[in-house]
Amino acid sequence: MTVIVILARGRCGLSRCITYYLVSMAVSDLLVIITVVLINRIVGIYFPVSFLFNTQVCSVSNALNYAIMDSSAWLTVAFTFDRCIAICCQKLKIKYCTEKTAAWVIGTVCTLSCLKNIFRYFIMEPTHIIDNIPWFCVIKSIFYTSPAWVAYEWIYSLLTPCAAFFLILLLNALTVRHILLASQARRRLAVNSNGETQSDPEMEKRRKSIVLLFCISGSFILLYLVFLINFLLIRIAKFSYFSGSNYSDSNFILEQSGYMLVHMSSCINPFIYGGTQRKFREEFKNGVKYPLSLIVKLFK
């Protein structure tokens, strides 16, 4: 929440376009922590009997969890694409890298993520009927045998994480290639007749933007890598999807490690902002000092 407030104030020295993407990513990361980690994981383990385990509620929760995870992943792709356009395509940058386009892209990504995952509400069925009320959720057996559901699961998995993962790799590769070529050209122009290298404010400004981009997309790639490997083993090598209560099984450990790292990716971005953006750190310090100063004034 603190990250969202700091970024929304617009005092971190970032353009409004970048701020829109970062705020939307921070909101989606917060929702992942609340819905997927706190409600789904922690409540599910420590409070196994609650209204959350009503079949309708947990069906909605299942669809919502996937939609939020999708939004978080594809907003990272959208941000990477925006920065790639800003760095590599100067003519297109004027039209594309605007607040209006950023808002439209963010809205489209979130809407499509919800529409794509709304079908997941219908794959659940109750395990118990108590006083005519359905309780708990289990995936319908038809989900594994119906060609339509199998095709849906394949399309879903190919889009997230596969397409998102490789799009970020491709866009970053194009960005790095353009940066290397542009840096060489600008260095040649920056050398004056005495052979001394002049400072380049534009390259310094671009460097800060690039560091932020690479840290965010790099953490996404690293934290989604285990999840992607697990997907490829399941779909291509036909490994067992889960191992029941055998928690020492390597397949089970790989699967759960992938989920853990994906969920952890929602906690990493605030540290990236703090580590790469000086003005963000200053705003955070001011936010911490403000309530302390009020307390000091009260006791004076």
Side-chain angles (χ1 to χ4, degrees), residues 102-117:
W104 182 85
V105 170
I106 292 166
T108 301
V109 168
C110 295
T111 301
L112 291 178
S113 296
C114 291
L115 291 176
K116 186 175 73 168
N117 289 283

Side-chain angles (χ1 to χ4, degrees), residues 4-37:
I4 297 172
V5 173
I6 292 175
L7 291 173
R9 285 164 61 88
R11 297 181 181 179
C12 296
L14 302 170
S15 68
R16 295 296 297 172
C17 179
I18 295 177
T19 301
Y20 274 32
Y21 282 110
L22 295 184
V23 169
S24 67
M25 291 162 63
V27 171
S28 66
D29 289 341
L30 178 62
L31 291 175
V32 169
I33 294 172
I34 293 173
T35 61
V36 180
V37 179

